[in-house]
Amino acid sequence: MSESRRQPLGQMAAAVGVALLLLLPVRGFCAGGDPVATPVDNLYAALLETMKQAKQLGVKGRYDKLSPILRKAYDLPLMARIAVGKHWDAMSAGERESVVAAFTRMTTATYASRFDGFSGEKFEVLQT
C-alpha cells in the first residue's frame, strides 16, 4: 500500500472507530428484563480500576491492562474493516492483518492515554 493511501486510511479509521465506539450497545437484557453482565460492564469496571491506579501503572501499564479487556468488549477487526470501507476487498490478507493490528493498537493507546487519573468518575447506563 502506498504511503499516500496510508495517511487517509489512518485518519478515516480513527474517525470511524471513535464513532463506532460510541454507538455500540451498552447492556444486554435477559428475557425477563433483568440486566446481564456484558463485556462493556467488564470494560467499565476495568476502566475505573485502571483510572484509580493510573499514576502507578503509567501509560504502558494502562495499555497492558486494558488491551485484553478492549479486545473482548469490541469487535476490533470488524471495526477496522468498516473503517477501511470499500478498500478492504482490494487489500491483501497481510495488509488487512496490518490494518487490524494498527487499529487495535490505536484504540488501546487512546484509552490508555485518556484514562489517566481518577477523581470520583463513574459510568452510568441510562434507560431510554
Side-chain angles (χ1 to χ4, degrees):
M1 183 183 309
S2 71
E3 189 64 36
S4 63
R5 282 183 57 194
R6 287 184 188 156
Q7 184 73 15
L9 283 178
Q11 292 170 348
M12 182 175 39
V16 172
V18 169
L20 287 172
L21 292 175
L22 297 174
L23 296 174
L24 290 174
V26 176
R27 182 177 291 274
F29 289 89
C30 296
D34 296 327
V36 294
T38 67
V40 176
D41 293 321
N42 295 332
L43 172 62
Y44 290 166
L47 285 172
L48 287 173
E49 184 180 325
T50 301
M51 290 165 64
K52 291 175 182 178
Q53 301 172 353
K55 300 302 180 221
Q56 299 91 331
L57 291 171
V59 175
K60 172 97 170 79
R62 294 191 304 267
Y63 183 100
D64 293 342
K65 185 172 187 138
L66 293 173
S67 181
I69 303 294
L70 292 170
R71 289 171 191 262
K72 288 179 184 174
Y74 300 117
D75 187 345
L76 294 166
L78 175 63
M79 292 167 64
R81 180 179 174 193
I82 292 169
V84 171
K86 67 181 180 178
H87 302 289
W88 184 263
D89 291 334
M91 297 170 72
S92 70
E95 288 173 325
R96 290 176 184 173
E97 288 177 20
S98 293
V99 168
V100 169
F103 188 88
T104 300
R105 285 191 311 272
M106 177 201 66
T107 301
T108 306
T110 299
Y111 272 83
S113 68
R114 298 212 176 136
F115 289 90
D116 60 352
F118 181 77
S119 56
E121 294 86 358
K122 65 180 181 175
F123 292 99
E124 185 176 354
V125 178
L126 303 175
Q127 298 292 327
T128 56

